[in-house]
């Protein structure tokens, strides 16, 4: 794993010291301050009262396109600047990030006047779906996991809002205090202009054959379920401003978790895990049907669902709730999440039947699995699991991989023909007490790090024995709608 301090004002070098490689030999006396035992951060959180109301109030605070965000119903966190960045690789990407985060916490000096989830020291993270990658043509050495500690965080929870500033001890190039806030002047939000869409790794005409192969393998008894994904490549006339995408997503998909971390942006309806004061929650989604009105109207017209679906949508919801194919797919996903959480919990609640979650473009079968974390006790040498370690234990669930997990992941590698990168991987944040929220990076896209005119959109579908390739293609098109809307192409 590589850890590096990121300093300086925008446009300046982001590496005032040499990159810190944690596997390197013991450092010499002239090593950067904090390198041997880990970096030391100074954190201050204060309450603020000037945050406007509305779904985009937090996003509107972001000064430039290098945005960090986790927002739902107007609450959540946004951040900018980088006080510290950890990059991890391969199968150990979660454990390495969690270990390094605990090291940072042990040395951090935190003054938190707010004491709410998300106040104090936080890091935003994004992790690859797979342990191995078939090869990133853009950057073969790109990390498969990242934790970013911002310099500035603005948060809101209900009626309370706060501002957190974070400084790295020994980073003389970084501004502090009031200079830290003024070092990031607000830049105007820009639109992408004309956007052209093209097939990704596997074309829309060819993808049903991939699905058919998955169905054949399931019917042959090799596995019970596999989730197959496809991508679409978009090229914009102007460099893509992350804030433009976030604002549109947060408005149209207010009930989803709108996120942005290290170029990965989207509005996910699926919460992999929330850990808060000993309670854990996971929202499992599997089983999908397109909303009737979504075929004729844009998300801008529909907005977030207010529960007053028309008759056609009510009929479709009933159809989804009775679909044996979708219920089977959903059961696999719920079982996998419950089994992964059980070792960490003293008690759990797994509802017997799912509910139908209404979103502007689709409806999902949904189940909220909850649990109480096992009390480690004051005398226990074991630390309670962090939200990041819980996310690692849950990933990949059957909702994004399949059942059995190993067989499904092997089949994905064999036939999907797509580098998922961080699509369908955990994305979210972790706090100083280990609590946090992690979603699955669905309804998402990845902005090119080398050319912000380019962005890859992703969608995936759960395949079982009763699946139909043409219907799965149509479902994938519906799942591409949020990012198409964000780009202004629908």
């Amino acid at each position: 794993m590589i850890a590096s301090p990121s300093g300086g004002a925008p446009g300046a070098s982001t590496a005032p010291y040499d990159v810190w490689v944690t596997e390197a030999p013991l450092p010499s006396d002239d090593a950067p301050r904090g390198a041997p035992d880990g970096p030391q951060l100074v954190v201050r959180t204060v309450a603020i009262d000037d945050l406007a109301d509305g779904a985009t109030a937090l996003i509107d605070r972001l000064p430039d396109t290098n945005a960090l965000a986790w927002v739902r119903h107007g609450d959540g966190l946004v951040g900018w600047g980088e006080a510290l960045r950890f990059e991890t690789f391969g199968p150990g990407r979660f454990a390495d990030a969690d270990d390094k985060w605990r090291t940072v916490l042990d040395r951090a000096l935190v003054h938190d006047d707010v004491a709410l989830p998300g106040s104090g020291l936080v890091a935003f993270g994004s992790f690859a779906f797979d342990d191995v990658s078939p090869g990133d043509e853009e950057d073969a050495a790109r990390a498969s996991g990242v934790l970013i500690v911002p310099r500035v965080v603005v948060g809101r929870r209900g009626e309370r809002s706060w501002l957190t500033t974070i400084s790295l001890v020994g980073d003389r190039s970084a501004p502090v205090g009031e200079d830290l806030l003024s070092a990031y002047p607000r830049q105007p939000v820009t639109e992408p202009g004309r956007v052209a869409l093209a097939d990704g790794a596997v074309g829309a005409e060819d993808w049903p054959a991939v699905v058919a192969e998955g169905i054949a393998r399931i019917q042959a008894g090799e596995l019970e379920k596999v989730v197959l994904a496809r991508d679409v490549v978009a090229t914009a006339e102007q460099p893509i401003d992350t804030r433009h995408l976030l604002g549109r997503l947060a408005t149209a998909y207010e009930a989803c978790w709108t996120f942005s971390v290290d170029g990965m942006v989207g509005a996910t309806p699926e919460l992999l895990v929330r850990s808060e004061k000993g309670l854990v929650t996971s929202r499992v989604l599997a089983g999908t049907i397109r909303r009737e009105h979504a075929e004729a109207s844009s998300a801008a017209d529909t907005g977030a669902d207010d529960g007053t679906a028309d008759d056609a949508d009510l009929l479709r919801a009933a159809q989804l709730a009775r679909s044996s194919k979708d219920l089977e797919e959903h059961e696999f996903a719920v079982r996998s999440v419950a089994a992964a959480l059980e070792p960490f919990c003293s008690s759990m609640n797994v509802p017997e039947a799912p509910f139908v979650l209404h979103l502007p473009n689709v409806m999902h079968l949904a189940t909220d699995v909850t649990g109480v974390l096992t009390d480690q006790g004051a005398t226990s040498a074991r630390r309670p699991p962090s939200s990041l370690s819980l996310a690692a234990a849950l990933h990949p669930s059957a909702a994004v991989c399949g059942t059995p997990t190993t067989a499904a992941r092997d089949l994905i590698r064999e036939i999907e023909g797509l580098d998922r990168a961080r699509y369908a991987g955990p994305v979210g944040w972790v706090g100083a007490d280990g609590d946090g929220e992690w979603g699955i990076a669905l309804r998402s896209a990845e902005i090119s790090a080398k050319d912000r005119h380019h962005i890859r959109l992703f969608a995936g579908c759960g395949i079982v024995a009763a699946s139909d390739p043409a219907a799965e293609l149509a479902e994938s098109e519906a799942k591409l709608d949020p990012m198409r809307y964000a780009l202004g192409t629908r």
Side-chain angles (χ1 to χ4, degrees), residues 37-252:
D37 301 315
Q40 185 174 30
L41 298 173
V42 178
V43 184
R44 177 66 188 266
T45 297
V46 297
I48 58 174
D49 58 9
D50 61 345
L51 188 64
D53 294 329
T56 65
L58 286 169
I59 292 166
D60 292 341
R61 285 292 186 101
L62 292 165
D64 56 47
T65 190
N66 298 312
L68 297 164
W70 182 262
V71 176
R72 181 175 185 256
H73 289 309
D75 284 2
L77 304 169
V78 296
W80 57 92
E82 288 190 11
L84 202 60
R85 179 187 186 96
F86 300 114
E87 296 184 345
T88 58
F89 301 83
R93 61 195 182 282
F94 297 108
D96 288 344
D98 194 52
D99 287 346
K100 208 60 187 177
W101 178 241
R102 291 181 185 273
T103 299
V104 169
L105 297 178
D106 288 342
R107 292 174 52 80
L109 303 175
V110 181
H111 185 93
D112 184 358
D113 293 338
V114 176
L116 285 174
S119 66
L121 180 57
V122 298
F124 292 79
S126 173
F127 293 85
F129 168 81
D130 205 352
D131 292 343
V132 298
S133 171
D136 187 337
E137 294 181 1
E138 185 171 286
D139 183 3
R142 187 184 179 204
S144 50
V146 63
L147 279 182
I148 299 173
V149 181
R151 291 197 177 283
V152 182
V153 178
V154 178
R156 176 163 65 191
R157 186 179 177 96
E159 299 298 319
R160 301 187 65 186
S161 304
W162 62 88
L163 169 71
T164 300
T165 55
I166 304 170
S167 301
L168 178 66
V169 172
D171 185 359
R172 300 178 185 86
S173 67
V176 296
E178 293 183 0
D179 291 338
L180 178 57
L181 298 178
S182 62
Y184 298 90
R186 179 170 176 77
Q187 301 172 7
V189 178
T190 59
E191 298 186 2
R194 293 188 301 273
V195 178
L197 299 175
D199 282 336
V202 179
E205 292 185 358
D206 299 324
W207 195 67
V210 177
V211 175
E213 178 64 19
I215 295 171
R217 299 293 189 92
I218 293 170
Q219 292 175 343
E222 294 182 19
L223 68 169
E224 296 174 283
K225 174 187 175 181
V226 65
V227 180
L228 296 173
R230 55 184 284 248
D231 65 342
V232 171
V233 179
T235 302
E237 181 181 12
Q238 303 296 329
I240 296 170
D241 190 328
T242 307
R243 297 169 298 170
H244 176 75
L245 305 182
L246 292 173
R248 290 174 66 82
L249 290 170
T251 301

